[in-house]
Amino acid sequence: MMNVFFVGAGPGDPELITVKGQRLLGQADIIIYAGSLVNPALLSLAKNGAAIYNSASMTLDEVIAVVEQGVKENKLVVRLHTGDPSIYGAIQEQMDKLAGKSIAFEVIPGVSSFLATAAALKQEYTLPDVSQTVIITRLEGRTPVPEKEKLVKLASHEATMCIFLSVHMLDNVVKELIDGGYPAETPVAIVQKASWPDQKIYRGALKTIAQIARENNIDRTAMIVVGKVLDTNYALSRLYAPEFGHMFREAK
Ligand code: SAH
């Protein structure tokens, strides 16, 4: 029987967890959730008597020990991660430890915050003639970023960029992006706490956004989006053009 599930909690709004994730949360005997970014409202889905752990104060080995003990007692364990667990979720090390102990598990995906950010902005990231690529990245912090992936190098593509974990280093973000090739006028949006009740949206350009962020004290959970897609000029999608046939519709 499958007893261990890594579940994506979604970006904040408790209705943005998957149906499967919601069901598992309600059935779990043990829930280990990832600290401050998981909306506590999700924990109210837990059944009476479920044991709830905040992993923010736990080491990797402590987390694994709780999972292992739960499995021994044939309990259902949910490891709840913010957004989608595959993005900056530090789940690989957990999964590898479990695999090393021959503990089976499954991963239930979630709505990542960069997608909730697009929804908040009412923005498509992939506009014809503007950008067909989304780069998900971060500025180096305590976690190193490989040399070839430094912002200054990625910037040369001028693609749509979603930058996690970096809003507190916005001056450096801006410098690297401009040094790397984005014009200083390139539009930027910052969405703080996308999908939460206190969600906030700030818009500017590379050359103005650091000042805007300072004036508004943006230093918490926020996504930086950069790219010309945030401007309004783009070519219409070929998908719905009358003369453009495809598998499900003949050209006129
Ligand atoms: N696995 C998560 C990301 C965890 S890293 C996901 O898929 O979204 C934490 C970073 O995610 C934060 O520093 C911030 O950049 C971003 N983030 C998480 N939740 C957010 C939200 N509701 N709104 C904006 N950014 C968010």
Coordinates of all heavy atoms in Angstrom, one line a residue, residues 124 126-129 132 234-244 249:
E124 N -0.2 36.3 -20.3 CA 0.3 35.1 -20.9 C 1.8 35.3 -21.0 O 2.3 36.4 -21.4 CB -0.3 34.9 -22.3 CG 0.3 33.7 -23.0 CD -0.3 33.4 -24.4 OE1 -1.4 33.9 -24.6 OE2 0.3 32.6 -25.1
T126 N 3.9 33.6 -22.9 CA 4.5 33.1 -24.2 C 3.7 33.8 -25.3 O 2.8 33.2 -25.9 CB 4.3 31.6 -24.3 OG1 3.0 31.2 -24.1 CG2 5.2 30.9 -23.3
L127 N 4.1 35.0 -25.6 CA 3.4 35.7 -26.7 C 4.1 35.6 -28.0 O 5.4 35.7 -28.1 CB 3.2 37.2 -26.4 CG 2.3 37.5 -25.2 CD1 2.3 39.0 -24.9 CD2 0.9 37.1 -25.6
P128 N 3.4 35.3 -29.1 CA 4.1 35.2 -30.4 C 4.9 36.4 -30.8 O 4.4 37.5 -30.4 CB 2.9 35.1 -31.4 CG 1.8 34.5 -30.6 CD 2.0 35.0 -29.2
D129 N 6.0 36.3 -31.4 CA 6.9 37.4 -31.8 C 7.6 38.1 -30.6 O 8.4 39.0 -30.8 CB 6.2 38.4 -32.6 CG 5.9 37.9 -34.0 OD1 6.3 36.8 -34.3 OD2 5.3 38.7 -34.8
Q132 N 8.8 33.1 -26.6 CA 8.2 31.7 -26.6 C 8.9 30.9 -25.5 O 8.9 29.6 -25.6 CB 8.3 31.1 -28.0 CG 7.4 31.8 -29.0 CD 5.9 31.5 -28.8 OE1 5.5 30.4 -29.0 NE2 5.2 32.5 -28.3
Y234 N 2.0 42.7 -29.5 CA 2.4 41.3 -29.8 C 1.6 40.9 -31.0 O 0.6 41.5 -31.4 CB 2.2 40.4 -28.7 CG 0.8 40.3 -28.2 CD1 -0.1 39.3 -28.7 CD2 0.3 41.2 -27.2 CE1 -1.4 39.3 -28.3 CE2 -1.0 41.1 -26.8 CZ -1.9 40.2 -27.3 OH -3.2 40.1 -26.9
A235 N 2.1 39.8 -31.7 CA 1.4 39.3 -32.9 C 0.3 38.4 -32.3 O 0.4 37.7 -31.3 CB 2.3 38.6 -33.7
L236 N -0.9 38.3 -33.1 CA -1.9 37.4 -32.6 C -1.5 36.0 -32.8 O -0.7 35.6 -33.7 CB -3.2 37.6 -33.4 CG -3.9 39.0 -33.1 CD1 -5.2 39.1 -34.0 CD2 -4.2 39.1 -31.7
S237 N -1.9 35.1 -31.9 CA -1.6 33.7 -32.0 C -2.1 33.1 -33.3 O -3.2 33.4 -33.7 CB -2.3 33.0 -30.8 OG -2.5 31.6 -31.1
R238 N -1.3 32.2 -33.8 CA -1.8 31.5 -35.1 C -2.8 30.5 -34.8 O -3.6 30.1 -35.6 CB -0.6 30.8 -35.7 CG 0.6 31.7 -36.0 CD 0.3 33.0 -36.8 NE -0.2 32.6 -38.2 CZ -1.1 33.3 -38.8 NH1 -1.7 34.4 -38.3 NH2 -1.5 33.0 -40.0
L239 N -2.9 30.1 -33.5 CA -3.8 29.0 -33.2 C -5.2 29.2 -33.5 O -6.0 28.3 -34.0 CB -3.6 28.7 -31.7 CG -4.2 27.4 -31.2 CD1 -3.7 26.2 -31.9 CD2 -4.0 27.3 -29.7
Y240 N -5.7 30.5 -33.4 CA -7.1 30.8 -33.6 C -7.3 31.6 -34.9 O -8.4 32.0 -35.2 CB -7.7 31.6 -32.4 CG -7.6 30.8 -31.2 CD1 -6.7 31.0 -30.2 CD2 -8.5 29.7 -31.0 CE1 -6.6 30.3 -29.0 CE2 -8.4 28.9 -29.9 CZ -7.5 29.2 -28.9 OH -7.4 28.4 -27.7
A241 N -6.2 31.7 -35.7 CA -6.3 32.5 -37.0 C -7.1 31.6 -37.9 O -7.0 30.4 -38.0 CB -4.9 32.8 -37.5
P242 N -8.1 32.3 -38.7 CA -9.0 31.5 -39.6 C -8.2 30.7 -40.6 O -8.6 29.6 -40.9 CB -9.8 32.6 -40.3 CG -9.5 33.9 -39.6 CD -8.3 33.7 -38.7
E243 N -7.1 31.2 -41.1 CA -6.4 30.5 -42.2 C -5.4 29.5 -41.7 O -4.7 28.8 -42.5 CB -5.7 31.5 -43.1 CG -4.4 32.2 -42.6 CD -4.7 33.3 -41.6 OE1 -5.9 33.5 -41.2 OE2 -3.7 33.9 -41.2
F244 N -5.4 29.2 -40.4 CA -4.4 28.4 -39.8 C -5.1 27.1 -39.3 O -5.7 27.1 -38.3 CB -3.7 29.1 -38.7 CG -2.6 28.4 -38.0 CD1 -1.3 28.3 -38.6 CD2 -2.7 27.8 -36.8 CE1 -0.2 27.7 -38.0 CE2 -1.6 27.2 -36.1 CZ -0.4 27.1 -36.8
R249 N -9.1 21.5 -36.4 CA -9.9 22.5 -37.1 C -9.3 22.7 -38.5 O -8.1 22.9 -38.6 CB -10.0 23.8 -36.4 CG -10.8 24.9 -37.0 CD -11.1 26.1 -36.1 NE -9.9 26.7 -35.5 CZ -9.1 27.5 -36.2 NH1 -9.2 27.7 -37.4 NH2 -8.0 27.9 -35.5

